[in-house]
PDB file of all heavy atoms in Angstrom:
ATOM      1  N   VAL J 255     -30.252  70.876   2.351  1.00 96.00           N
ATOM      2  CA  VAL J 255     -29.694  71.501   1.148  1.00 96.00           C
ATOM      3  C   VAL J 255     -28.169  71.578   1.198  1.00 96.00           C
ATOM      4  O   VAL J 255     -27.587  72.044   2.187  1.00 96.00           O
ATOM      5  CB  VAL J 255     -30.258  72.925   0.962  1.00 96.00           C
ATOM      6  CG1 VAL J 255     -29.767  73.517  -0.359  1.00 96.00           C
ATOM      7  CG2 VAL J 255     -31.780  72.915   1.000  1.00 96.00           C
ATOM      8  N   LEU J 256     -27.543  71.129   0.126  1.00 96.00           N
ATOM      9  CA  LEU J 256     -26.116  71.321  -0.108  1.00 96.00           C
ATOM     10  C   LEU J 256     -25.970  72.049  -1.438  1.00 96.00           C
ATOM     11  O   LEU J 256     -26.773  71.848  -2.347  1.00 96.00           O
ATOM     12  CB  LEU J 256     -25.380  69.985  -0.163  1.00 96.00           C
ATOM     13  CG  LEU J 256     -25.352  69.169   1.130  1.00 96.00           C
ATOM     14  CD1 LEU J 256     -24.844  67.761   0.856  1.00 96.00           C
ATOM     15  CD2 LEU J 256     -24.480  69.860   2.156  1.00 96.00           C
ATOM     16  N   ALA J 257     -24.950  72.885  -1.550  1.00 96.00           N
ATOM     17  CA  ALA J 257     -24.793  73.685  -2.764  1.00 96.00           C
ATOM     18  C   ALA J 257     -23.345  73.654  -3.241  1.00 96.00           C
ATOM     19  O   ALA J 257     -22.417  73.501  -2.439  1.00 96.00           O
ATOM     20  CB  ALA J 257     -25.240  75.119  -2.512  1.00 96.00           C
ATOM     21  N   TYR J 258     -23.191  73.826  -4.554  1.00 95.00           N
ATOM     22  CA  TYR J 258     -21.847  73.806  -5.144  1.00 95.00           C
ATOM     23  C   TYR J 258     -21.714  74.868  -6.224  1.00 95.00           C
ATOM     24  O   TYR J 258     -22.615  75.061  -7.053  1.00 95.00           O
ATOM     25  CB  TYR J 258     -21.555  72.437  -5.769  1.00 95.00           C
ATOM     26  CG  TYR J 258     -20.288  72.432  -6.605  1.00 95.00           C
ATOM     27  CD1 TYR J 258     -19.048  72.291  -6.007  1.00 95.00           C
ATOM     28  CD2 TYR J 258     -20.348  72.619  -7.995  1.00 95.00           C
ATOM     29  CE1 TYR J 258     -17.886  72.319  -6.775  1.00 95.00           C
ATOM     30  CE2 TYR J 258     -19.200  72.648  -8.762  1.00 95.00           C
ATOM     31  CZ  TYR J 258     -17.964  72.491  -8.152  1.00 95.00           C
ATOM     32  OH  TYR J 258     -16.822  72.530  -8.896  1.00 95.00           O
ATOM     33  N   ASP J 259     -20.579  75.553  -6.208  1.00 93.00           N
ATOM     34  CA  ASP J 259     -20.196  76.442  -7.308  1.00 93.00           C
ATOM     35  C   ASP J 259     -18.686  76.550  -7.290  1.00 93.00           C
ATOM     36  O   ASP J 259     -18.068  76.609  -6.211  1.00 93.00           O
ATOM     37  CB  ASP J 259     -20.823  77.834  -7.162  1.00 93.00           C
ATOM     38  CG  ASP J 259     -20.739  78.646  -8.448  1.00 93.00           C
ATOM     39  OD1 ASP J 259     -19.623  79.071  -8.822  1.00 93.00           O
ATOM     40  OD2 ASP J 259     -21.785  78.846  -9.086  1.00 93.00           O
ATOM     41  N   VAL J 260     -18.094  76.580  -8.458  1.00 91.00           N
ATOM     42  CA  VAL J 260     -16.640  76.671  -8.536  1.00 91.00           C
ATOM     43  C   VAL J 260     -16.131  77.979  -7.938  1.00 91.00           C
ATOM     44  O   VAL J 260     -14.996  78.071  -7.486  1.00 91.00           O
ATOM     45  CB  VAL J 260     -16.175  76.503 -10.004  1.00 91.00           C
ATOM     46  CG1 VAL J 260     -16.603  77.689 -10.856  1.00 91.00           C
ATOM     47  CG2 VAL J 260     -14.680  76.276 -10.074  1.00 91.00           C
ATOM     48  N   GLN J 261     -16.994  79.027  -7.916  1.00 90.00           N
ATOM     49  CA  GLN J 261     -16.617  80.309  -7.321  1.00 90.00           C
ATOM     50  C   GLN J 261     -17.002  80.321  -5.839  1.00 90.00           C
ATOM     51  O   GLN J 261     -18.186  80.395  -5.503  1.00 90.00           O
ATOM     52  CB  GLN J 261     -17.303  81.459  -8.044  1.00 90.00           C
ATOM     53  CG  GLN J 261     -16.941  81.576  -9.521  1.00 90.00           C
ATOM     54  CD  GLN J 261     -17.624  82.751 -10.188  1.00 90.00           C
ATOM     55  OE1 GLN J 261     -17.620  83.866  -9.665  1.00 90.00           O
ATOM     56  NE2 GLN J 261     -18.217  82.514 -11.353  1.00 90.00           N
ATOM     57  N   ALA J 262     -16.006  80.242  -4.983  1.00 91.00           N
ATOM     58  CA  ALA J 262     -16.260  80.143  -3.539  1.00 91.00           C
ATOM     59  C   ALA J 262     -17.027  81.349  -3.010  1.00 91.00           C
ATOM     60  O   ALA J 262     -17.821  81.224  -2.071  1.00 91.00           O
ATOM     61  CB  ALA J 262     -14.939  79.997  -2.792  1.00 91.00           C
ATOM     62  N   GLU J 263     -16.829  82.517  -3.610  1.00 90.00           N
ATOM     63  CA  GLU J 263     -17.495  83.724  -3.110  1.00 90.00           C
ATOM     64  C   GLU J 263     -19.012  83.648  -3.292  1.00 90.00           C
ATOM     65  O   GLU J 263     -19.762  84.252  -2.520  1.00 90.00           O
ATOM     66  CB  GLU J 263     -16.942  84.986  -3.783  1.00 90.00           C
ATOM     67  CG  GLU J 263     -17.083  85.068  -5.280  1.00 90.00           C
ATOM     68  CD  GLU J 263     -15.897  84.477  -6.025  1.00 90.00           C
ATOM     69  OE1 GLU J 263     -15.168  83.658  -5.440  1.00 90.00           O
ATOM     70  OE2 GLU J 263     -15.707  84.844  -7.206  1.00 90.00           O
ATOM     71  N   ARG J 264     -19.465  82.907  -4.284  1.00 90.00           N
ATOM     72  CA  ARG J 264     -20.912  82.756  -4.459  1.00 90.00           C
ATOM     73  C   ARG J 264     -21.508  81.907  -3.344  1.00 90.00           C
ATOM     74  O   ARG J 264     -22.599  82.174  -2.854  1.00 90.00           O
ATOM     75  CB  ARG J 264     -21.219  82.140  -5.827  1.00 90.00           C
ATOM     76  CG  ARG J 264     -20.955  83.100  -6.973  1.00 90.00           C
ATOM     77  CD  ARG J 264     -21.515  82.579  -8.275  1.00 90.00           C
ATOM     78  NE  ARG J 264     -21.457  83.597  -9.320  1.00 90.00           N
ATOM     79  CZ  ARG J 264     -21.934  83.436 -10.547  1.00 90.00           C
ATOM     80  NH1 ARG J 264     -22.513  82.282 -10.877  1.00 90.00           N
ATOM     81  NH2 ARG J 264     -21.860  84.408 -11.427  1.00 90.00           N
ATOM     82  N   GLY J 265     -20.780  80.888  -2.946  1.00 89.00           N
ATOM     83  CA  GLY J 265     -21.227  80.082  -1.818  1.00 89.00           C
ATOM     84  C   GLY J 265     -21.251  80.889  -0.534  1.00 89.00           C
ATOM     85  O   GLY J 265     -22.169  80.754   0.283  1.00 89.00           O
ATOM     86  N   ALA J 266     -20.249  81.760  -0.373  1.00 88.00           N
ATOM     87  CA  ALA J 266     -20.195  82.612   0.823  1.00 88.00           C
ATOM     88  C   ALA J 266     -21.372  83.573   0.844  1.00 88.00           C
ATOM     89  O   ALA J 266     -21.952  83.842   1.900  1.00 88.00           O
ATOM     90  CB  ALA J 266     -18.874  83.376   0.850  1.00 88.00           C
ATOM     91  N   MET J 267     -21.754  84.090  -0.324  1.00 87.00           N
ATOM     92  CA  MET J 267     -22.908  84.996  -0.422  1.00 87.00           C
ATOM     93  C   MET J 267     -24.181  84.278   0.014  1.00 87.00           C
ATOM     94  O   MET J 267     -25.014  84.825   0.745  1.00 87.00           O
ATOM     95  CB  MET J 267     -23.048  85.488  -1.868  1.00 87.00           C
ATOM     96  CG  MET J 267     -24.167  86.498  -2.081  1.00 87.00           C
ATOM     97  SD  MET J 267     -24.441  86.844  -3.860  1.00 87.00           S
ATOM     98  CE  MET J 267     -22.821  87.362  -4.368  1.00 87.00           C
ATOM     99  N   LEU J 268     -24.322  83.026  -0.403  1.00 88.00           N
ATOM    100  CA  LEU J 268     -25.497  82.236  -0.052  1.00 88.00           C
ATOM    101  C   LEU J 268     -25.534  81.957   1.449  1.00 88.00           C
ATOM    102  O   LEU J 268     -26.581  82.072   2.094  1.00 88.00           O
ATOM    103  CB  LEU J 268     -25.484  80.926  -0.833  1.00 88.00           C
ATOM    104  CG  LEU J 268     -26.645  79.963  -0.613  1.00 88.00           C
ATOM    105  CD1 LEU J 268     -27.951  80.600  -1.065  1.00 88.00           C
ATOM    106  CD2 LEU J 268     -26.400  78.659  -1.365  1.00 88.00           C
ATOM    107  N   LYS J 269     -24.400  81.624   2.020  1.00 83.00           N
ATOM    108  CA  LYS J 269     -24.333  81.280   3.444  1.00 83.00           C
ATOM    109  C   LYS J 269     -24.665  82.475   4.328  1.00 83.00           C
ATOM    110  O   LYS J 269     -25.258  82.333   5.395  1.00 83.00           O
ATOM    111  CB  LYS J 269     -22.947  80.742   3.781  1.00 83.00           C
ATOM    112  CG  LYS J 269     -22.805  80.230   5.214  1.00 83.00           C
ATOM    113  CD  LYS J 269     -21.457  79.581   5.443  1.00 83.00           C
ATOM    114  CE  LYS J 269     -21.306  79.131   6.888  1.00 83.00           C
ATOM    115  NZ  LYS J 269     -22.289  78.121   7.278  1.00 83.00           N
ATOM    116  N   GLU J 270     -24.313  83.673   3.851  1.00 81.00           N
ATOM    117  CA  GLU J 270     -24.576  84.898   4.622  1.00 81.00           C
ATOM    118  C   GLU J 270     -26.045  85.052   4.957  1.00 81.00           C
ATOM    119  O   GLU J 270     -26.410  85.458   6.054  1.00 81.00           O
ATOM    120  CB  GLU J 270     -24.126  86.129   3.813  1.00 81.00           C
ATOM    121  CG  GLU J 270     -22.817  86.715   4.298  1.00 81.00           C
ATOM    122  CD  GLU J 270     -22.429  87.927   3.472  1.00 81.00           C
ATOM    123  OE1 GLU J 270     -23.248  88.871   3.368  1.00 81.00           O
ATOM    124  OE2 GLU J 270     -21.319  87.926   2.924  1.00 81.00           O
ATOM    125  N   GLU J 271     -26.911  84.737   4.011  1.00 78.00           N
ATOM    126  CA  GLU J 271     -28.343  84.968   4.192  1.00 78.00           C
ATOM    127  C   GLU J 271     -29.128  83.732   4.609  1.00 78.00           C
ATOM    128  O   GLU J 271     -30.221  83.852   5.134  1.00 78.00           O
ATOM    129  CB  GLU J 271     -28.949  85.512   2.890  1.00 78.00           C
ATOM    130  CG  GLU J 271     -28.539  86.935   2.602  1.00 78.00           C
ATOM    131  CD  GLU J 271     -29.279  87.528   1.408  1.00 78.00           C
ATOM    132  OE1 GLU J 271     -29.806  86.746   0.596  1.00 78.00           O
ATOM    133  OE2 GLU J 271     -29.311  88.750   1.294  1.00 78.00           O
ATOM    134  N   SER J 272     -28.556  82.549   4.385  1.00 79.00           N
ATOM    135  CA  SER J 272     -29.370  81.352   4.616  1.00 79.00           C
ATOM    136  C   SER J 272     -28.686  80.255   5.421  1.00 79.00           C
ATOM    137  O   SER J 272     -29.320  79.282   5.796  1.00 79.00           O
ATOM    138  CB  SER J 272     -29.775  80.750   3.260  1.00 79.00           C
ATOM    139  OG  SER J 272     -28.614  80.414   2.522  1.00 79.00           O
ATOM    140  N   GLU J 273     -27.395  80.401   5.663  1.00 81.00           N
ATOM    141  CA  GLU J 273     -26.614  79.390   6.394  1.00 81.00           C
ATOM    142  C   GLU J 273     -26.610  78.033   5.694  1.00 81.00           C
ATOM    143  O   GLU J 273     -26.446  76.989   6.321  1.00 81.00           O
ATOM    144  CB  GLU J 273     -27.127  79.244   7.833  1.00 81.00           C
ATOM    145  CG  GLU J 273     -27.019  80.530   8.643  1.00 81.00           C
ATOM    146  CD  GLU J 273     -27.442  80.361  10.098  1.00 81.00           C
ATOM    147  OE1 GLU J 273     -27.888  79.263  10.461  1.00 81.00           O
ATOM    148  OE2 GLU J 273     -27.301  81.323  10.855  1.00 81.00           O
ATOM    149  N   ILE J 274     -26.773  78.034   4.388  1.00 91.00           N
ATOM    150  CA  ILE J 274     -26.700  76.793   3.619  1.00 91.00           C
ATOM    151  C   ILE J 274     -25.238  76.419   3.401  1.00 91.00           C
ATOM    152  O   ILE J 274     -24.418  77.267   3.040  1.00 91.00           O
ATOM    153  CB  ILE J 274     -27.412  76.950   2.265  1.00 91.00           C
ATOM    154  CG1 ILE J 274     -28.914  77.143   2.477  1.00 91.00           C
ATOM    155  CG2 ILE J 274     -27.151  75.749   1.358  1.00 91.00           C
ATOM    156  CD1 ILE J 274     -29.666  77.521   1.221  1.00 91.00           C
ATOM    157  N   THR J 275     -24.907  75.154   3.612  1.00 89.00           N
ATOM    158  CA  THR J 275     -23.545  74.681   3.407  1.00 89.00           C
ATOM    159  C   THR J 275     -23.246  74.600   1.917  1.00 89.00           C
ATOM    160  O   THR J 275     -24.014  73.999   1.149  1.00 89.00           O
ATOM    161  CB  THR J 275     -23.351  73.289   4.031  1.00 89.00           C
ATOM    162  OG1 THR J 275     -23.734  73.336   5.406  1.00 89.00           O
ATOM    163  CG2 THR J 275     -21.901  72.845   3.932  1.00 89.00           C
ATOM    164  N   SER J 276     -22.139  75.208   1.504  1.00 93.00           N
ATOM    165  CA  SER J 276     -21.782  75.187   0.085  1.00 93.00           C
ATOM    166  C   SER J 276     -20.311  74.819  -0.074  1.00 93.00           C
ATOM    167  O   SER J 276     -19.510  74.969   0.852  1.00 93.00           O
ATOM    168  CB  SER J 276     -22.066  76.544  -0.568  1.00 93.00           C
ATOM    169  OG  SER J 276     -21.286  77.544   0.029  1.00 93.00           O
ATOM    170  N   PHE J 277     -19.970  74.377  -1.265  1.00 94.00           N
ATOM    171  CA  PHE J 277     -18.617  73.910  -1.546  1.00 94.00           C
ATOM    172  C   PHE J 277     -18.154  74.423  -2.900  1.00 94.00           C
ATOM    173  O   PHE J 277     -18.970  74.685  -3.790  1.00 94.00           O
ATOM    174  CB  PHE J 277     -18.575  72.374  -1.542  1.00 94.00           C
ATOM    175  CG  PHE J 277     -19.001  71.762  -0.232  1.00 94.00           C
ATOM    176  CD1 PHE J 277     -20.337  71.463  -0.003  1.00 94.00           C
ATOM    177  CD2 PHE J 277     -18.082  71.514   0.768  1.00 94.00           C
ATOM    178  CE1 PHE J 277     -20.744  70.914   1.199  1.00 94.00           C
ATOM    179  CE2 PHE J 277     -18.483  70.966   1.983  1.00 94.00           C
ATOM    180  CZ  PHE J 277     -19.807  70.663   2.194  1.00 94.00           C
ATOM    181  N   SER J 278     -16.838  74.550  -3.047  1.00 93.00           N
ATOM    182  CA  SER J 278     -16.267  74.938  -4.331  1.00 93.00           C
ATOM    183  C   SER J 278     -15.334  73.853  -4.869  1.00 93.00           C
ATOM    184  O   SER J 278     -14.741  74.014  -5.926  1.00 93.00           O
ATOM    185  CB  SER J 278     -15.503  76.260  -4.205  1.00 93.00           C
ATOM    186  OG  SER J 278     -14.475  76.152  -3.233  1.00 93.00           O
ATOM    187  N   LYS J 279     -15.218  72.735  -4.131  1.00 94.00           N
ATOM    188  CA  LYS J 279     -14.402  71.602  -4.573  1.00 94.00           C
ATOM    189  C   LYS J 279     -15.280  70.355  -4.618  1.00 94.00           C
ATOM    190  O   LYS J 279     -15.984  70.042  -3.651  1.00 94.00           O
ATOM    191  CB  LYS J 279     -13.214  71.386  -3.642  1.00 94.00           C
ATOM    192  CG  LYS J 279     -12.213  72.532  -3.652  1.00 94.00           C
ATOM    193  CD  LYS J 279     -11.037  72.243  -2.732  1.00 94.00           C
ATOM    194  CE  LYS J 279     -10.026  73.390  -2.764  1.00 94.00           C
ATOM    195  NZ  LYS J 279      -8.888  73.144  -1.827  1.00 94.00           N
TER     196      LYS J 279
END
Side-chain angles (χ1 to χ4, degrees):
V255 185
L256 295 169
Y258 170 82
D259 195 289
V260 68
Q261 299 181 48
E263 60 270 22
R264 289 191 171 183
M267 183 189 304
L268 181 63
K269 185 174 178 62
E270 256 180 55
E271 288 187 340
S272 59
E273 299 184 356
I274 294 171
T275 305
S276 62
F277 301 89
S278 58
K279 295 181 179 178

